Amino acid sequence: MPDATESAVTEPPSLGDAVEERSILLGLCYRLLGSLSDAEDAVQDTYIRWYRLEDSAREDVRSPRAWLITTASRICFDLLGSARVRRELYVGEWLPEPIPDPSAWTSSSSQASIDPADRVSMDESVSMALLVVLESMTPAERVAFVLHDVFRFTFAEVAEIVGRSPVACRQLASSARKRIRDSRQIAVPSEEHAAVVRSFKNAWSEGDIGGLIKLLDPNVTAVTDGGGLVSAALEPLYGPEEVARFFIGAFGRQPGLHIEEQVVNGEAGLVATSEGKIVAVISVNVSSGMVDHIWAVRNPEKLAAWE
């Protein structure tokens, strides 16, 4: 059996399509943790545990994929508890780590025979809006919702992971769904979303504060995450004028800032670069043709996947 060092660079040989398995696990852990770097660590820990099984125990596993998903979920469930403590000490607002187009961070390429697990790694609906809502849930709610509603685990199976009864897990998933409904994030057609993002980019790049204000919902909220490492608003910004002036001011303070449209968490978003270096990745939520939420991640530790 390989030692832990070897397992850190080698995928389990008995898992069939190990590359695809890793993509599935990475998508699961990212959705549970909201951090691609933490997700990669959780996946690596999952593989190490697989290798540490006795040969006879590994042979008794009827479904390696189910074993991996279950183990990864338990690891993430434990991590979510400690993550809450770390985020209470975080400087400023904490946002999930944004991800580029799925092809850049997973190895999935075939759309054939997609089961619920495959959708997590290949589906482009892992929006920042959903991740922010997931972040507001308790660890048990988050795990119950993702495993049951996305992976189609039974509540009995979820119960074994979170240490609750099946009835309690049903209630957890129901509570999670209510949080999502109450967030009132109504999806718009991708073409409409992209058109609004393009208009936002043009107005911002041109310093057109009036045009920017017209694109912002009267109740717009903007959250920026610098992690105490770079400049960012320490608290959310509210209202069209405050939000517009912040973005116009940021553009003026950074000469040579270039804004381009890119896929961010499966939707049209914006990436800001300065002197060839990515300095911000921005997600927006569009409702009724206007931007009502903006999430700008500036923490360089959360932009590694974009470099």
Side-chain angles (χ1 to χ4, degrees):
M1 182 175 67
D3 59 23
T5 301
E6 183 177 351
S7 67
V9 295
T10 307
E11 305 294 4
S14 57
L15 292 178
D17 188 348
V19 171
E20 182 179 0
E21 299 289 353
R22 185 180 183 281
S23 294
I24 292 168
L25 292 178
L26 190 57
L28 164 69
C29 294
Y30 171 71
R31 184 168 270 183
L32 286 176
L33 299 174
S35 165
L36 189 54
S37 56
D38 287 347
E40 289 171 338
D41 290 343
V43 171
Q44 202 61 49
D45 193 4
T46 301
Y47 281 138
I48 290 173
R49 295 189 187 192
W50 171 263
Y51 269 122
R52 286 177 177 169
L53 289 176
E54 295 291 336
D55 290 343
S56 58
R58 195 182 301 124
E59 291 172 0
D60 288 339
V61 176
R62 296 180 59 184
S63 171
R65 173 180 287 187
W67 187 96
L68 289 169
I69 292 173
T70 299
T71 301
S73 299
R74 286 179 175 143
I75 291 170
C76 290
F77 181 60
D78 291 339
L79 287 174
L80 282 171
S82 59
R84 281 181 171 270
V85 176
R86 295 199 309 272
R87 288 167 193 173
E88 288 175 357
L89 303 175
Y90 195 79
V91 177
E93 296 291 316
W94 188 94
L95 287 174
E97 184 178 340
I99 53 173
D101 187 275
S103 63
W105 63 283
T106 74
S107 301
S108 297
S109 58
S110 174
Q111 292 283 335
S113 186
I114 299 177
D115 71 9
D118 294 322
R119 279 206 307 271
V120 176
S121 61
M122 295 195 293
D123 189 9
E124 295 184 349
S125 66
V126 188
S127 69
M128 185 63 71
L130 175 60
L131 289 171
V132 169
V133 177
L134 289 175
E135 186 61 28
S136 71
M137 300 178 185
T138 66
E141 282 178 327
R142 190 166 184 164
V143 173
F145 172 78
V146 171
L147 285 181
H148 179 266
D149 285 42
V150 178
F151 278 77
R152 300 297 185 257
F153 270 42
T154 67
F155 286 120
E157 292 169 328
V158 175
E160 293 182 4
I161 294 171
V162 301
R164 309 284 182 90
S165 69
V167 172
C169 290
R170 184 185 297 274
Q171 294 173 338
L172 287 169
S174 176
S175 174
R177 290 187 212 103
K178 184 177 185 301
R179 287 178 184 263
I180 293 173
R181 288 196 302 269
D182 290 348
S183 70
R184 298 176 182 174
Q185 304 294 346
I186 302 175
V188 300
S190 58
E191 296 82 2
E192 177 184 344
H193 180 97
V196 174
V197 169
R198 185 171 298 111
S199 296
F200 183 98
K201 177 202 121 175
N202 292 338
W204 185 18
S205 299
E206 294 167 5
D208 182 3
I209 190 169
L212 203 55
I213 289 175
K214 290 180 180 178
L215 291 168
L216 301 176
D217 184 90
N219 296 311
V220 64
T221 300
V223 177
T224 61
D225 176 349
L229 301 177
V230 295
S231 62
L234 296 179
E235 297 180 352
L237 305 167
Y238 300 102
E241 287 199 14
E242 183 177 12
V243 171
R245 291 187 185 282
F246 174 85
F247 278 91
I248 295 296
F251 194 92
R253 289 190 297 272
Q254 188 126 19
L257 193 66
H258 176 69
I259 314 297
E260 64 179 30
E261 300 166 51
Q262 287 196 33
V263 174
V264 180
N265 286 74
E267 299 179 313
L270 300 173
V271 174
T273 60
S274 177
E275 299 180 346
K277 181 180 179 180
I278 293 177
V279 296
V281 174
I282 300 160
S283 302
V284 304
N285 192 75
V286 176
S287 179
S288 301
M290 305 182 80
V291 175
D292 59 5
H293 285 85
I294 303 173
W295 301 279
V297 177
R298 296 210 60 225
N299 184 341
E301 294 180 349
K302 295 184 177 183
L303 302 179
W306 296 82
E307 295 294 348

mmCIF file of all heavy atoms in Angstrom, residues 17-57:
data_model
loop_
_atom_site.group_PDB
_atom_site.id
_atom_site.type_symbol
_atom_site.label_atom_id
_atom_site.label_comp_id
_atom_site.label_asym_id
_atom_site.label_seq_id
_atom_site.Cartn_x
_atom_site.Cartn_y
_atom_site.Cartn_z
ATOM 1 N N ASP A 17 -12.337 5.643 -13.545
ATOM 2 C CA ASP A 17 -11.905 6.928 -14.100
ATOM 3 C C ASP A 17 -11.571 7.868 -12.947
ATOM 4 O O ASP A 17 -12.397 8.663 -12.513
ATOM 5 C CB ASP A 17 -13.016 7.512 -14.973
ATOM 6 C CG ASP A 17 -12.550 8.751 -15.732
ATOM 7 O OD1 ASP A 17 -11.471 9.276 -15.409
ATOM 8 O OD2 ASP A 17 -13.269 9.182 -16.635
ATOM 9 N N ALA A 18 -10.340 7.789 -12.456
ATOM 10 C CA ALA A 18 -9.949 8.544 -11.273
ATOM 11 C C ALA A 18 -10.008 10.048 -11.504
ATOM 12 O O ALA A 18 -10.305 10.815 -10.602
ATOM 13 C CB ALA A 18 -8.545 8.140 -10.831
ATOM 14 N N VAL A 19 -9.702 10.491 -12.735
ATOM 15 C CA VAL A 19 -9.740 11.917 -13.040
ATOM 16 C C VAL A 19 -11.161 12.455 -12.896
ATOM 17 O O VAL A 19 -11.400 13.515 -12.314
ATOM 18 C CB VAL A 19 -9.201 12.177 -14.458
ATOM 19 C CG1 VAL A 19 -9.436 13.620 -14.855
ATOM 20 C CG2 VAL A 19 -7.717 11.849 -14.524
ATOM 21 N N GLU A 20 -12.121 11.700 -13.418
ATOM 22 C CA GLU A 20 -13.513 12.125 -13.302
ATOM 23 C C GLU A 20 -13.974 12.097 -11.853
ATOM 24 O O GLU A 20 -14.697 12.986 -11.395
ATOM 25 C CB GLU A 20 -14.411 11.225 -14.155
ATOM 26 C CG GLU A 20 -15.873 11.648 -14.128
ATOM 27 C CD GLU A 20 -16.751 10.771 -14.997
ATOM 28 O OE1 GLU A 20 -16.220 9.838 -15.626
ATOM 29 O OE2 GLU A 20 -17.956 11.017 -15.034
ATOM 30 N N GLU A 21 -13.556 11.074 -11.104
ATOM 31 C CA GLU A 21 -13.924 10.991 -9.697
ATOM 32 C C GLU A 21 -13.420 12.222 -8.949
ATOM 33 O O GLU A 21 -14.123 12.797 -8.123
ATOM 34 C CB GLU A 21 -13.335 9.725 -9.067
ATOM 35 C CG GLU A 21 -13.797 8.416 -9.664
ATOM 36 C CD GLU A 21 -15.245 8.094 -9.344
ATOM 37 O OE1 GLU A 21 -15.854 8.830 -8.547
ATOM 38 O OE2 GLU A 21 -15.768 7.110 -9.890
ATOM 39 N N ARG A 22 -12.200 12.632 -9.247
ATOM 40 C CA ARG A 22 -11.637 13.788 -8.558
ATOM 41 C C ARG A 22 -12.426 15.055 -8.880
ATOM 42 O O ARG A 22 -12.652 15.896 -8.010
ATOM 43 C CB ARG A 22 -10.165 13.975 -8.946
ATOM 44 C CG ARG A 22 -9.496 15.105 -8.169
ATOM 45 C CD ARG A 22 -8.046 15.286 -8.563
ATOM 46 N NE ARG A 22 -7.429 16.318 -7.746
ATOM 47 C CZ ARG A 22 -7.587 17.626 -7.942
ATOM 48 N NH1 ARG A 22 -8.341 18.045 -8.941
ATOM 49 N NH2 ARG A 22 -6.999 18.503 -7.140
ATOM 50 N N SER A 23 -12.859 15.206 -10.119
ATOM 51 C CA SER A 23 -13.640 16.377 -10.502
ATOM 52 C C SER A 23 -14.961 16.427 -9.739
ATOM 53 O O SER A 23 -15.401 17.482 -9.294
ATOM 54 C CB SER A 23 -13.917 16.348 -12.009
ATOM 55 O OG SER A 23 -12.723 16.484 -12.731
ATOM 56 N N ILE A 24 -15.581 15.265 -9.599
ATOM 57 C CA ILE A 24 -16.845 15.197 -8.869
ATOM 58 C C ILE A 24 -16.637 15.600 -7.409
ATOM 59 O O ILE A 24 -17.394 16.401 -6.850
ATOM 60 C CB ILE A 24 -17.433 13.782 -8.970
ATOM 61 C CG1 ILE A 24 -17.875 13.495 -10.404
ATOM 62 C CG2 ILE A 24 -18.619 13.613 -8.012
ATOM 63 C CD1 ILE A 24 -18.192 12.043 -10.670
ATOM 64 N N LEU A 25 -15.605 15.042 -6.790
ATOM 65 C CA LEU A 25 -15.326 15.357 -5.389
ATOM 66 C C LEU A 25 -14.976 16.833 -5.215
ATOM 67 O O LEU A 25 -15.391 17.473 -4.248
ATOM 68 C CB LEU A 25 -14.185 14.489 -4.872
ATOM 69 C CG LEU A 25 -14.463 12.998 -4.727
ATOM 70 C CD1 LEU A 25 -13.208 12.281 -4.248
ATOM 71 C CD2 LEU A 25 -15.614 12.746 -3.771
ATOM 72 N N LEU A 26 -14.202 17.378 -6.157
ATOM 73 C CA LEU A 26 -13.812 18.773 -6.066
ATOM 74 C C LEU A 26 -15.035 19.682 -6.145
ATOM 75 O O LEU A 26 -15.159 20.663 -5.399
ATOM 76 C CB LEU A 26 -12.832 19.111 -7.192
ATOM 77 C CG LEU A 26 -12.122 20.467 -7.113
ATOM 78 C CD1 LEU A 26 -11.355 20.600 -5.802
ATOM 79 C CD2 LEU A 26 -11.188 20.629 -8.291
ATOM 80 N N GLY A 27 -15.974 19.343 -7.046
ATOM 81 C CA GLY A 27 -17.201 20.129 -7.141
ATOM 82 C C GLY A 27 -18.025 20.051 -5.877
ATOM 83 O O GLY A 27 -18.590 21.041 -5.416
ATOM 84 N N LEU A 28 -18.127 18.859 -5.292
ATOM 85 C CA LEU A 28 -18.870 18.678 -4.043
ATOM 86 C C LEU A 28 -18.244 19.499 -2.928
ATOM 87 O O LEU A 28 -18.930 20.272 -2.246
ATOM 88 C CB LEU A 28 -18.874 17.194 -3.657
ATOM 89 C CG LEU A 28 -19.271 16.888 -2.205
ATOM 90 C CD1 LEU A 28 -20.745 17.188 -1.986
ATOM 91 C CD2 LEU A 28 -18.954 15.448 -1.847
ATOM 92 N N CYS A 29 -16.944 19.343 -2.723
ATOM 93 C CA CYS A 29 -16.281 20.013 -1.610
ATOM 94 C C CYS A 29 -16.274 21.530 -1.782
ATOM 95 O O CYS A 29 -16.390 22.275 -0.802
ATOM 96 C CB CYS A 29 -14.855 19.482 -1.461
ATOM 97 S SG CYS A 29 -14.771 17.741 -0.969
ATOM 98 N N TYR A 30 -16.166 21.992 -3.037
ATOM 99 C CA TYR A 30 -16.217 23.440 -3.261
ATOM 100 C C TYR A 30 -17.583 23.998 -2.863
ATOM 101 O O TYR A 30 -17.682 25.029 -2.205
ATOM 102 C CB TYR A 30 -15.940 23.768 -4.728
ATOM 103 C CG TYR A 30 -16.194 25.222 -5.063
ATOM 104 C CD1 TYR A 30 -15.354 26.226 -4.593
ATOM 105 C CD2 TYR A 30 -17.306 25.601 -5.810
ATOM 106 C CE1 TYR A 30 -15.592 27.564 -4.872
ATOM 107 C CE2 TYR A 30 -17.557 26.927 -6.100
ATOM 108 C CZ TYR A 30 -16.697 27.909 -5.625
ATOM 109 O OH TYR A 30 -16.965 29.222 -5.894
ATOM 110 N N ARG A 31 -18.638 23.298 -3.257
ATOM 111 C CA ARG A 31 -19.972 23.789 -2.922
ATOM 112 C C ARG A 31 -20.206 23.740 -1.413
ATOM 113 O O ARG A 31 -20.893 24.610 -0.870
ATOM 114 C CB ARG A 31 -21.018 22.955 -3.656
ATOM 115 C CG ARG A 31 -22.437 23.452 -3.441
ATOM 116 C CD ARG A 31 -23.412 22.797 -4.404
ATOM 117 N NE ARG A 31 -23.518 23.582 -5.635
ATOM 118 C CZ ARG A 31 -24.339 23.266 -6.627
ATOM 119 N NH1 ARG A 31 -25.092 22.186 -6.547
ATOM 120 N NH2 ARG A 31 -24.392 24.009 -7.711
ATOM 121 N N LEU A 32 -19.629 22.768 -0.740
ATOM 122 C CA LEU A 32 -19.813 22.668 0.708
ATOM 123 C C LEU A 32 -18.972 23.699 1.462
ATOM 124 O O LEU A 32 -19.411 24.226 2.486
ATOM 125 C CB LEU A 32 -19.443 21.264 1.194
ATOM 126 C CG LEU A 32 -20.437 20.145 0.861
ATOM 127 C CD1 LEU A 32 -19.881 18.798 1.316
ATOM 128 C CD2 LEU A 32 -21.790 20.407 1.506
ATOM 129 N N LEU A 33 -17.763 23.988 0.963
ATOM 130 C CA LEU A 33 -16.838 24.840 1.705
ATOM 131 C C LEU A 33 -16.743 26.270 1.183
ATOM 132 O O LEU A 33 -16.308 27.167 1.905
ATOM 133 C CB LEU A 33 -15.436 24.216 1.687
ATOM 134 C CG LEU A 33 -15.324 22.827 2.327
ATOM 135 C CD1 LEU A 33 -13.923 22.267 2.105
ATOM 136 C CD2 LEU A 33 -15.657 22.879 3.809
ATOM 137 N N GLY A 34 -17.107 26.482 -0.092
ATOM 138 C CA GLY A 34 -17.012 27.827 -0.653
ATOM 139 C C GLY A 34 -15.597 28.278 -0.915
ATOM 140 O O GLY A 34 -15.345 29.459 -1.145
ATOM 141 N N SER A 35 -14.658 27.341 -0.891
ATOM 142 C CA SER A 35 -13.252 27.662 -1.116
ATOM 143 C C SER A 35 -12.641 26.561 -1.953
ATOM 144 O O SER A 35 -12.677 25.387 -1.561
ATOM 145 C CB SER A 35 -12.505 27.782 0.222
ATOM 146 O OG SER A 35 -11.104 27.748 0.021
ATOM 147 N N LEU A 36 -12.080 26.925 -3.099
ATOM 148 C CA LEU A 36 -11.479 25.924 -3.972
ATOM 149 C C LEU A 36 -10.215 25.342 -3.344
ATOM 150 O O LEU A 36 -9.957 24.142 -3.441
ATOM 151 C CB LEU A 36 -11.149 26.550 -5.328
ATOM 152 C CG LEU A 36 -10.702 25.587 -6.434
ATOM 153 C CD1 LEU A 36 -11.714 24.476 -6.642
ATOM 154 C CD2 LEU A 36 -10.477 26.358 -7.727
ATOM 155 N N SER A 37 -9.429 26.174 -2.674
ATOM 156 C CA SER A 37 -8.213 25.671 -2.042
ATOM 157 C C SER A 37 -8.538 24.705 -0.910
ATOM 158 O O SER A 37 -7.905 23.648 -0.772
ATOM 159 C CB SER A 37 -7.365 26.835 -1.520
ATOM 160 O OG SER A 37 -8.113 27.656 -0.641
ATOM 161 N N ASP A 38 -9.540 25.042 -0.103
ATOM 162 C CA ASP A 38 -9.958 24.129 0.969
ATOM 163 C C ASP A 38 -10.552 22.853 0.386
ATOM 164 O O ASP A 38 -10.377 21.756 0.932
ATOM 165 C CB ASP A 38 -10.984 24.803 1.877
ATOM 166 C CG ASP A 38 -10.363 25.865 2.776
ATOM 167 O OD1 ASP A 38 -9.117 25.900 2.872
ATOM 168 O OD2 ASP A 38 -11.114 26.651 3.373
ATOM 169 N N ALA A 39 -11.277 23.002 -0.736
ATOM 170 C CA ALA A 39 -11.868 21.833 -1.387
ATOM 171 C C ALA A 39 -10.781 20.881 -1.875
ATOM 172 O O ALA A 39 -10.900 19.660 -1.732
ATOM 173 C CB ALA A 39 -12.754 22.268 -2.549
ATOM 174 N N GLU A 40 -9.717 21.427 -2.440
ATOM 175 C CA GLU A 40 -8.620 20.585 -2.917
ATOM 176 C C GLU A 40 -7.974 19.829 -1.760
ATOM 177 O O GLU A 40 -7.626 18.645 -1.887
ATOM 178 C CB GLU A 40 -7.589 21.453 -3.642
ATOM 179 C CG GLU A 40 -8.090 21.974 -4.988
ATOM 180 C CD GLU A 40 -7.168 23.003 -5.607
ATOM 181 O OE1 GLU A 40 -6.380 23.614 -4.848
ATOM 182 O OE2 GLU A 40 -7.236 23.198 -6.830
ATOM 183 N N ASP A 41 -7.834 20.499 -0.607
ATOM 184 C CA ASP A 41 -7.269 19.827 0.564
ATOM 185 C C ASP A 41 -8.185 18.706 1.046
ATOM 186 O O ASP A 41 -7.715 17.631 1.432
ATOM 187 C CB ASP A 41 -7.051 20.835 1.697
ATOM 188 C CG ASP A 41 -5.918 21.814 1.407
ATOM 189 O OD1 ASP A 41 -5.098 21.519 0.508
ATOM 190 O OD2 ASP A 41 -5.863 22.869 2.060
ATOM 191 N N ALA A 42 -9.497 18.957 1.039
ATOM 192 C CA ALA A 42 -10.451 17.944 1.487
ATOM 193 C C ALA A 42 -10.443 16.729 0.565
ATOM 194 O O ALA A 42 -10.526 15.578 1.023
ATOM 195 C CB ALA A 42 -11.858 18.546 1.552
ATOM 196 N N VAL A 43 -10.335 16.969 -0.738
ATOM 197 C CA VAL A 43 -10.272 15.865 -1.701
ATOM 198 C C VAL A 43 -9.002 15.052 -1.483
ATOM 199 O O VAL A 43 -9.026 13.814 -1.495
ATOM 200 C CB VAL A 43 -10.333 16.399 -3.145
ATOM 201 C CG1 VAL A 43 -10.040 15.276 -4.146
ATOM 202 C CG2 VAL A 43 -11.709 16.995 -3.431
ATOM 203 N N GLN A 44 -7.888 15.734 -1.255
ATOM 204 C CA GLN A 44 -6.632 15.028 -1.023
ATOM 205 C C GLN A 44 -6.720 14.168 0.227
ATOM 206 O O GLN A 44 -6.259 13.018 0.251
ATOM 207 C CB GLN A 44 -5.488 16.037 -0.889
ATOM 208 C CG GLN A 44 -4.119 15.446 -1.173
ATOM 209 C CD GLN A 44 -4.009 14.922 -2.586
ATOM 210 O OE1 GLN A 44 -4.349 15.590 -3.547
ATOM 211 N NE2 GLN A 44 -3.567 13.691 -2.717
ATOM 212 N N ASP A 45 -7.336 14.705 1.272
ATOM 213 C CA ASP A 45 -7.512 13.951 2.517
ATOM 214 C C ASP A 45 -8.395 12.731 2.281
ATOM 215 O O ASP A 45 -8.158 11.647 2.839
ATOM 216 C CB ASP A 45 -8.135 14.861 3.584
ATOM 217 C CG ASP A 45 -8.073 14.258 4.982
ATOM 218 O OD1 ASP A 45 -7.487 13.172 5.145
ATOM 219 O OD2 ASP A 45 -8.623 14.876 5.916
ATOM 220 N N THR A 46 -9.398 12.878 1.418
ATOM 221 C CA THR A 46 -10.287 11.761 1.098
ATOM 222 C C THR A 46 -9.509 10.624 0.442
ATOM 223 O O THR A 46 -9.662 9.450 0.800
ATOM 224 C CB THR A 46 -11.419 12.227 0.160
ATOM 225 O OG1 THR A 46 -12.166 13.267 0.802
ATOM 226 C CG2 THR A 46 -12.359 11.079 -0.185
ATOM 227 N N TYR A 47 -8.658 10.952 -0.509
ATOM 228 C CA TYR A 47 -7.859 9.928 -1.186
ATOM 229 C C TYR A 47 -6.884 9.250 -0.226
ATOM 230 O O TYR A 47 -6.659 8.048 -0.297
ATOM 231 C CB TYR A 47 -7.092 10.547 -2.354
ATOM 232 C CG TYR A 47 -7.942 10.767 -3.584
ATOM 233 C CD1 TYR A 47 -7.832 11.946 -4.318
ATOM 234 C CD2 TYR A 47 -8.835 9.797 -4.015
ATOM 235 C CE1 TYR A 47 -8.598 12.148 -5.458
ATOM 236 C CE2 TYR A 47 -9.604 9.993 -5.146
ATOM 237 C CZ TYR A 47 -9.480 11.168 -5.865
ATOM 238 O OH TYR A 47 -10.243 11.366 -6.981
ATOM 239 N N ILE A 48 -6.290 10.040 0.658
ATOM 240 C CA ILE A 48 -5.362 9.458 1.625
ATOM 241 C C ILE A 48 -6.084 8.434 2.498
ATOM 242 O O ILE A 48 -5.556 7.350 2.781
ATOM 243 C CB ILE A 48 -4.723 10.569 2.487
ATOM 244 C CG1 ILE A 48 -3.753 11.393 1.638
ATOM 245 C CG2 ILE A 48 -4.001 9.979 3.697
ATOM 246 C CD1 ILE A 48 -3.187 12.609 2.343
ATOM 247 N N ARG A 49 -7.312 8.762 2.905
ATOM 248 C CA ARG A 49 -8.081 7.814 3.723
ATOM 249 C C ARG A 49 -8.414 6.554 2.927
ATOM 250 O O ARG A 49 -8.469 5.459 3.491
ATOM 251 C CB ARG A 49 -9.351 8.485 4.237
ATOM 252 C CG ARG A 49 -9.068 9.641 5.191
ATOM 253 C CD ARG A 49 -10.330 10.152 5.853
ATOM 254 N NE ARG A 49 -10.058 11.363 6.624
ATOM 255 C CZ ARG A 49 -10.904 11.911 7.485
ATOM 256 N NH1 ARG A 49 -12.096 11.341 7.689
ATOM 257 N NH2 ARG A 49 -10.583 13.009 8.139
ATOM 258 N N TRP A 50 -8.653 6.720 1.631
ATOM 259 C CA TRP A 50 -8.915 5.547 0.788
ATOM 260 C C TRP A 50 -7.694 4.618 0.773
ATOM 261 O O TRP A 50 -7.803 3.411 0.916
ATOM 262 C CB TRP A 50 -9.271 6.002 -0.628
ATOM 263 C CG TRP A 50 -9.351 4.900 -1.638
ATOM 264 C CD1 TRP A 50 -8.379 4.510 -2.513
ATOM 265 C CD2 TRP A 50 -10.467 4.030 -1.873
ATOM 266 N NE1 TRP A 50 -8.819 3.471 -3.280
ATOM 267 C CE2 TRP A 50 -10.098 3.153 -2.915
ATOM 268 C CE3 TRP A 50 -11.740 3.929 -1.318
ATOM 269 C CZ2 TRP A 50 -10.956 2.171 -3.406
ATOM 270 C CZ3 TRP A 50 -12.600 2.950 -1.804
ATOM 271 C CH2 TRP A 50 -12.209 2.091 -2.839
ATOM 272 N N TYR A 51 -6.530 5.207 0.627
ATOM 273 C CA TYR A 51 -5.307 4.415 0.589
ATOM 274 C C TYR A 51 -5.020 3.737 1.925
ATOM 275 O O TYR A 51 -4.388 2.681 1.973
ATOM 276 C CB TYR A 51 -4.114 5.293 0.203
ATOM 277 C CG TYR A 51 -3.857 5.348 -1.271
ATOM 278 C CD1 TYR A 51 -3.858 6.564 -1.950
ATOM 279 C CD2 TYR A 51 -3.618 4.193 -1.995
ATOM 280 C CE1 TYR A 51 -3.612 6.621 -3.304
ATOM 281 C CE2 TYR A 51 -3.375 4.238 -3.359
ATOM 282 C CZ TYR A 51 -3.372 5.454 -4.007
ATOM 283 O OH TYR A 51 -3.131 5.502 -5.353
ATOM 284 N N ARG A 52 -5.422 4.369 2.994
ATOM 285 C CA ARG A 52 -5.136 3.810 4.317
ATOM 286 C C ARG A 52 -6.026 2.620 4.671
ATOM 287 O O ARG A 52 -5.786 1.944 5.674
ATOM 288 C CB ARG A 52 -5.277 4.903 5.379
ATOM 289 C CG ARG A 52 -4.111 5.894 5.356
ATOM 290 C CD ARG A 52 -4.310 7.004 6.361
ATOM 291 N NE ARG A 52 -3.147 7.900 6.383
ATOM 292 C CZ ARG A 52 -3.125 9.078 7.002
ATOM 293 N NH1 ARG A 52 -4.196 9.508 7.647
ATOM 294 N NH2 ARG A 52 -2.031 9.814 6.981
ATOM 295 N N LEU A 53 -7.059 2.391 3.873
ATOM 296 C CA LEU A 53 -7.894 1.208 4.103
ATOM 297 C C LEU A 53 -7.071 -0.056 3.865
ATOM 298 O O LEU A 53 -6.205 -0.094 2.987
ATOM 299 C CB LEU A 53 -9.093 1.212 3.140
ATOM 300 C CG LEU A 53 -10.208 2.228 3.364
ATOM 301 C CD1 LEU A 53 -11.225 2.109 2.232
ATOM 302 C CD2 LEU A 53 -10.888 2.026 4.709
ATOM 303 N N GLU A 54 -7.353 -1.084 4.638
ATOM 304 C CA GLU A 54 -6.763 -2.383 4.362
ATOM 305 C C GLU A 54 -7.266 -2.870 3.005
ATOM 306 O O GLU A 54 -8.371 -2.521 2.574
ATOM 307 C CB GLU A 54 -7.150 -3.381 5.456
ATOM 308 C CG GLU A 54 -6.604 -3.047 6.841
ATOM 309 C CD GLU A 54 -5.096 -3.202 6.906
ATOM 310 O OE1 GLU A 54 -4.553 -3.972 6.079
ATOM 311 O OE2 GLU A 54 -4.468 -2.548 7.754
ATOM 312 N N ASP A 55 -6.464 -3.661 2.310
ATOM 313 C CA ASP A 55 -6.864 -4.158 0.996
ATOM 314 C C ASP A 55 -8.216 -4.846 1.040
ATOM 315 O O ASP A 55 -9.055 -4.660 0.154
ATOM 316 C CB ASP A 55 -5.806 -5.127 0.461
ATOM 317 C CG ASP A 55 -4.514 -4.408 0.086
ATOM 318 O OD1 ASP A 55 -4.564 -3.172 -0.053
ATOM 319 O OD2 ASP A 55 -3.497 -5.089 -0.059
ATOM 320 N N SER A 56 -8.431 -5.656 2.082
ATOM 321 C CA SER A 56 -9.691 -6.382 2.196
ATOM 322 C C SER A 56 -10.863 -5.424 2.390
ATOM 323 O O SER A 56 -11.948 -5.624 1.833
ATOM 324 C CB SER A 56 -9.639 -7.368 3.366
ATOM 325 O OG SER A 56 -9.349 -6.683 4.582
ATOM 326 N N ALA A 57 -10.639 -4.350 3.166
ATOM 327 C CA ALA A 57 -11.699 -3.368 3.394
ATOM 328 C C ALA A 57 -12.024 -2.622 2.113
ATOM 329 O O ALA A 57 -13.189 -2.350 1.809
ATOM 330 C CB ALA A 57 -11.288 -2.390 4.489
#
